[in-house]
Amino acid sequence: MDINRIRKEHNSGGIGGIINSIQTLFVAGLRVWTIPIVLMLSMATGFTTFFGLSHFIVSWIALIITIAIQSIIVISSLEIAGMHWKANRLRFFSVLASLLVAVSASITFSYFKFYEISQKENIQIDRLNKIRTDVNAYLKSVADTKTKILKQQQAELDKASESVTQAYYGTHPDAPAAQKNMVGQGPFFRYQREVFETKKKESAQVVQEFEKLNQDIRVLQNGLNEWNMSSPDAEARYRKIVSSLQEVSIKFNQMATSSGVITPDMPILMTYTEIVQGITPSFAMWKDFSLFAFLCASMADFFTVFLSYRLEFTAPGPLSEREQELVFECLRQFTEFRINENDELEMVIEKSEIEKARRYSDWPRMFAVGFLLSRGFLRKIDSKSVEFAPNLYPLIAERMSAQIRALKAQQAISASSPAVPAALEVADDE
């Protein structure tokens, strides 16, 4: 189809031919444009498939498998569009099974890439929340242990104070027999008072150290609350948080050990590299299913299959003059036509009983039917009938109008020149 042909048909007054030419040119243009789209979609889907597959096997093997998967998707889609499942069920279902396996593999491994893209921020937020949760849980354990230590110190201080009172009144159970029931400040009283003063100083020192520890805890909490991974100095701030946590842990362990209390274990935080690193694909991602990532992975494969199918299913281009002549003459040999429920012209392609009785050879017209089916100008209804596609009507209309014009011209010539046939007959007799 070219511009010269369109201009020629326009000059000859073939409106139907012009419409058909424009329509078939448009269809052919879409078909040509579909080819690079399918290739680009295959490359895009292949990239995401290769990304997911390369995390499980060697890269060069993953590349080969990815090319095979994308090739199977395109080839199987083309084959399914060009075959009828009733004609060869085994071949049809084998191709369909290959297509389903290839699409499933492509979607599965593409899902990993889209999952990383869609869930990257959420995963980093989850990592940050985990760090905060671990640190806060540790600080809560520190606070509980600190309360326990302070209660222990207060209990010892109260006991020492009570011992001083008992020593003063001579009722202390450990007082010497000579000082029993004697009120006053004797040697035993002075000894108990020194013990009390020592305990009091130790308790005050513990409280003072806990106040310093509280300041370090506040610095740690403020740094953790203000930390943002998007800030330019995020790595330095995170290192400061880890350093503050270690300082709190060291100081508290020293205080708790001197008090004879078991200290809680400090949480082992992730490194900054582990926090900001990407996701390692695994089938555990299906547990935390992302509908958005799955739809993105499926969408590219769906478009690839659909466009590949339509690439084979649509008519590849217009018919030439000789092809139109052949098709028109062969279709004229069919006799059974009707308008079906799709408002399309339907014709029976099976031999009639009379033709079967006469052993009529319908090879030419069946060739025309097969030719038009493969080119998309006919649609198969069942094994016995086909219907016209919209792009076939202008061709038939053009041929019919040409024949009608030729018939009218012949009738006009016959009416205006009645002596011509007689003269021809005399010439023939001579």
Side-chain angles (χ1 to χ4, degrees):
M1 176 57 58
D2 54 12
I3 301 300
N4 293 329
R5 182 183 170 187
I6 296 177
R7 188 176 301 167
K8 178 181 177 181
E9 293 181 349
H10 176 72
N11 294 333
S12 62
I15 302 300
I18 295 176
I19 296 175
N20 177 70
S21 299
I22 295 174
Q23 181 180 5
T24 51
L25 181 62
F26 178 73
V27 172
L30 288 180
R31 182 182 176 88
V32 173
W33 178 239
T34 302
I35 295 175
I37 293 178
V38 170
L39 294 177
M40 288 187 291
L41 282 172
S42 298
M43 292 177 62
T45 309
F47 170 76
T48 54
T49 303
F50 170 76
F51 173 83
L53 195 59
S54 61
H55 284 81
F56 298 93
I57 57 177
V58 184
S59 297
W60 66 271
I61 299 179
L63 178 61
I64 295 175
I65 295 177
T66 301
I67 295 174
I69 289 175
Q70 297 305 315
S71 300
I72 290 174
I73 291 176
V74 176
I75 294 173
S76 299
S77 301
L78 292 172
E79 288 194 8
I80 288 179
M83 72 172 67
H84 300 282
W85 71 276
K86 291 183 179 180
N88 191 337
R89 290 181 174 84
L90 180 60
R91 181 190 173 195
F92 179 84
F93 286 111
S94 63
V95 175
L96 181 61
S98 301
L99 177 62
L100 293 178
V101 171
V103 170
S104 299
S106 179
I107 292 176
T108 299
F109 293 108
S110 296
Y111 171 79
F112 297 146
K113 179 60 177 178
F114 288 106
Y115 184 89
E116 179 188 22
I117 296 174
S118 62
Q119 300 295 320
K120 183 177 180 180
E121 293 184 359
N122 294 335
I123 291 176
Q124 288 185 348
I125 292 174
D126 291 340
R127 291 173 180 173
L128 176 59
N129 291 335
K130 184 178 183 305
I131 292 175
R132 290 174 175 171
T133 301
D134 292 343
V135 173
N136 290 331
Y138 174 72
L139 295 180
K140 184 178 183 302
S141 300
V142 169
D144 295 340
T145 307
K146 182 179 69 174
T147 302
K148 182 178 180 180
I149 293 174
L150 291 176
K151 287 182 178 180
Q152 180 179 344
Q153 290 289 332
Q154 186 63 38
E156 292 177 356
L157 186 62
D158 293 341
K159 184 177 180 181
S161 177
E162 184 179 359
S163 297
V164 171
T165 302
Q166 290 177 349
Y168 181 80
Y169 290 104
T171 59
H172 196 281
D174 297 332
Q179 298 182 11
K180 289 283 185 178
N181 298 322
M182 292 182 62
V183 179
Q185 298 182 1
F188 186 74
F189 169 79
R190 289 191 294 271
Y191 169 74
Q192 293 296 331
R193 187 171 61 183
E194 290 178 359
V195 171
F196 173 74
E197 293 295 334
T198 303
K199 288 291 183 182
K200 188 175 180 180
K201 290 180 181 180
E202 291 178 357
S203 179
Q205 184 178 0
V206 168
V207 172
Q208 186 177 3
E209 290 177 354
F210 274 137
E211 287 295 330
K212 295 180 180 179
L213 182 64
N214 290 337
Q215 294 180 359
D216 294 335
I217 291 176
R218 283 193 292 270
V219 171
L220 172 61
Q221 289 178 332
N222 292 333
L224 192 61
N225 294 330
E226 295 175 357
W227 181 51
N228 187 359
M229 288 185 290
S230 61
S231 60
D233 57 343
E235 185 175 2
R237 290 186 176 220
Y238 184 72
R239 289 179 179 176
K240 186 176 180 181
I241 292 172
V242 175
S243 177
S244 299
L245 178 63
Q246 292 175 347
E247 186 176 356
V248 169
S249 178
I250 292 173
K251 290 182 178 180
F252 181 73
N253 288 343
Q254 291 175 351
M255 296 172 60
T257 301
S258 61
S259 301
V261 179
I262 299 176
T263 60
D265 295 331
M266 185 191 74
I268 300 176
L269 302 182
M270 293 182 288
T271 63
Y272 184 78
T273 304
E274 292 175 340
I275 295 175
V276 298
Q277 72 178 358
I279 306 170
T280 300
S282 65
F283 285 94
M285 291 181 178
W286 292 105
K287 296 180 181 179
D288 187 17
F289 180 74
S290 173
L291 180 60
F292 175 77
F294 181 78
L295 291 177
C296 290
S298 304
M299 181 175 58
D301 287 297
F302 170 76
F303 288 149
T304 303
V305 172
F306 177 77
L307 291 178
S308 300
Y309 182 87
R310 293 297 302 172
L311 185 65
E312 178 64 25
F313 190 71
T314 55
L319 300 177
S320 64
E321 291 290 341
R322 293 184 178 181
E323 290 173 344
Q324 293 181 26
E325 185 72 25
L326 171 65
V327 168
F328 181 73
E329 292 299 328
C330 292
L331 291 182
R332 287 178 60 187
Q333 299 178 21
F334 290 101
T335 57
E336 298 185 32
F337 294 88
R338 72 182 185 92
I339 302 298
N340 60 17
E341 60 275 5
N342 296 328
D343 294 332
E344 301 288 355
L345 183 61
E346 180 180 332
M347 67 180 184
V348 178
I349 59 176
E350 193 179 40
K351 288 182 182 180
S352 64
E353 296 298 331
I354 298 177
E355 290 174 342
K356 291 180 180 178
R358 293 180 179 179
R359 295 184 180 179
Y360 173 76
S361 177
D362 63 343
W363 184 86
R365 67 185 189 184
M366 295 304 294
F367 172 81
V369 171
F371 177 72
L372 293 178
L373 283 172
S374 64
R375 297 292 294 271
F377 290 95
L378 287 179
R379 299 169 181 167
K380 192 171 184 180
I381 302 299
D382 51 35
S383 59
K384 298 181 181 181
S385 59
V386 295
E387 69 177 10
F388 281 32
N391 52 356
L392 183 58
Y393 291 104
L395 295 178
I396 303 300
E398 178 65 22
R399 289 296 169 178
M400 291 177 65
S401 62
Q403 285 197 352
I404 292 173
R405 287 196 302 268
L407 182 59
K408 288 183 177 180
Q410 185 179 1
Q411 291 177 353
I413 293 174
S414 299
S416 61
S417 304
V420 173
L424 293 175
E425 290 178 2
V426 173
D428 292 338
D429 292 340
E430 293 179 354

